[in-house]
Amino acid sequence: MSEYTLLAIACGLGTYVWRGLGVAVSARVRPESELFAWIGCVAFAMLAGLISRVVLIPSGALEHTALWQRLAATGFALAAYFLFTKKNLFAGVIASAAAMYLILLLS
Amino acid sequence: MSSPARSGFRQGLLHAAGIPAMVLAAGYVGFGALAAGHGLSLAGTLLSTLLIWALPGQLILVEMHTLGAPFLAVFLTVVFSGARFLPMTVVMMPLLREARGRPVHYYAAAQFVAMTGWAWTMARFPDMPAERRLGYFFGFIAVLMASALASTALGYLAGDLLPPMAKLAFVFMSPMYFLLLLAGGTNDARGYLAIVIGAVAGPLMHFVAPQWSVIVAGFVGGTLAYAAHRMWKKGGLQR
């Protein structure tokens, strides 16, 4: 088994710890407690850091795109989601792909 | 399964087979194409969808593993990125509980708590009798899982058949899905603060320690956001 496959399994088990723990403590813990607020902040910052890294300094296939192309396509996705469709996730995601395709095609 | 649970299950299947399944498919087609582009195996990629069941964590897995990060660094970062599932599960469980449910049902349901299914089903639970909800959730998730697995495989296999520009557009959908989910699901100042500080800290940390950047940026950025919001709240009370 490759390290990647092992990682997929280990990460799946590790991620379940949060979910299982959630069931175990759900009767006793207030979800609005300060500890949860901090955990939420860390998780949000982590995910935001990953996305901005993928957009600003990508690895893999997206290395073949320019920074301005990725930023412009991100702008289109955010506009489609927040401005044009009142938070329609499907529209936003499709807009991101369509924008990226057109930007690559035209530049 | 009792009759309300069974009809709830059917209703869940029907409600998921539409926009929710399509939304998830868009994200996972991109993820499959991304993993194929990094030269990773299809088996590991499908397993990650089945077991991690969280696109952000899966993106971290693929990105960090490709950067050559050590096993422990990838593991810790992916696991901590799933920390949001703890409060999400805690909030959901009181709504799922009913007289005939057994603990094993709830622990099984918890494995499938993730942003898309959670947000859609939580929105419908208040208008639904309690005895239908667990069945509804499993029905909803069954369709989402089928859609995600099929899309992962499709993106993985079809990614190479597409012209290069279309493939890049596909790959780009995955982080965008997740960006919109994150930004759209936040409705308080603290959440936005954590997102903004994290978005700055992530790339900065990448220059210092690329293999540990996601987890370090998360802890430093998240703690900063939490502390700043707390001080601001306290200052506001004193005034």
Side-chain angles (χ1 to χ4, degrees):
Chain A
M1 207 183 285
S2 69
E3 182 175 311
Y4 172 62
T5 307
L6 271 178
L7 264 172
I9 296 170
C11 291
L13 293 173
T15 305
Y16 183 77
V17 171
W18 299 111
R19 295 169 163 136
L21 203 61
V23 183
V25 303
S26 61
R28 270 161 289 162
V29 180
R30 290 180 308 116
E32 63 271 20
S33 72
E34 288 295 304
L35 177 66
F36 277 11
W38 175 73
I39 291 176
C41 281
V42 172
F44 268 42
M46 197 177 265
L47 303 176
L50 175 79
I51 301 169
S52 77
R53 211 267 292 145
V54 168
V55 172
L56 298 176
I57 324 163
S59 56
L62 289 175
E63 277 176 334
H64 301 294
T65 57
L67 177 63
W68 75 266
Q69 293 172 325
R70 294 188 298 272
L71 287 177
T74 305
F76 274 109
L78 287 170
Y81 181 67
F82 283 107
L83 300 180
F84 304 146
T85 65
K86 290 186 189 161
K87 295 195 179 182
N88 181 323
L89 194 53
F90 189 65
V93 175
I94 295 301
S96 76
M100 178 56 94
Y101 185 72
L102 288 175
I103 289 168
L104 289 171
L105 202 66
L106 298 175
S107 53
Chain B
M1 247 194 281
S2 62
S3 165
R6 198 172 304 156
S7 68
F9 184 80
R10 267 199 305 271
Q11 195 184 20
L13 290 176
L14 285 173
H15 283 182
I19 296 291
M22 278 159 63
V23 166
L24 207 62
Y28 274 100
V29 164
F31 173 70
L34 179 82
H38 281 309
L40 299 165
S41 74
L42 177 59
T45 305
L46 284 173
L47 268 177
S48 79
T49 297
L50 183 69
L51 298 176
I52 301 176
W53 191 234
L55 195 52
Q58 294 174 251
L59 279 179
I60 293 173
L61 166 62
V62 165
E63 291 285 329
M64 287 186 72
H65 181 66
T66 308
L67 286 176
F71 193 97
L72 188 66
V74 182
F75 175 77
L76 289 178
T77 312
V78 173
V79 169
F80 212 89
S81 79
R84 66 189 179 287
F85 295 135
L86 175 55
M88 281 166 67
T89 311
V90 169
V91 175
M92 185 181 226
M93 281 307 135
L95 293 168
L96 280 184
R97 272 204 193 88
E98 48 119 353
R100 265 189 290 192
R102 297 206 198 91
V104 64
H105 297 155
Y106 305 128
Y107 281 101
Q111 164 61 20
F112 304 106
V113 169
M115 205 56 98
T116 308
W118 184 86
W120 281 82
T121 56
M122 287 290 281
R124 277 167 186 75
F125 281 163
D127 305 323
M128 196 182 290
E131 64 271 20
R132 288 174 72 99
R133 291 178 189 161
L134 195 61
Y136 182 87
F137 182 72
F138 278 119
F140 203 94
I141 290 304
V143 170
L144 289 190
M145 182 61 88
S147 164
L149 286 172
S151 314
T152 306
L154 181 72
Y156 188 96
L157 299 170
D160 283 339
L161 303 175
L162 292 170
M165 281 182 197
K167 187 185 171 181
L168 285 173
F170 261 54
V171 170
F172 195 62
M173 286 202 294
S174 206
M176 288 300 111
Y177 170 79
F178 168 34
L179 167 69
L180 299 181
L181 208 58
L182 187 66
T186 313
N187 45 21
D188 62 331
R190 186 162 51 200
Y192 281 119
L193 199 59
I195 289 177
V196 171
I197 297 180
V200 176
L204 284 182
M205 287 294 172
H206 183 73
F207 291 112
V208 183
Q211 296 171 346
W212 293 88
S213 63
V214 180
I215 197 163
V216 174
F219 271 102
V220 174
T223 306
L224 264 175
Y226 174 79
H229 182 260
R230 222 186 132 98
M231 275 164 61
W232 175 69
K233 219 170 54 179
K234 278 200 178 143
L237 287 178
Q238 276 160 10
R239 268 201 301 274

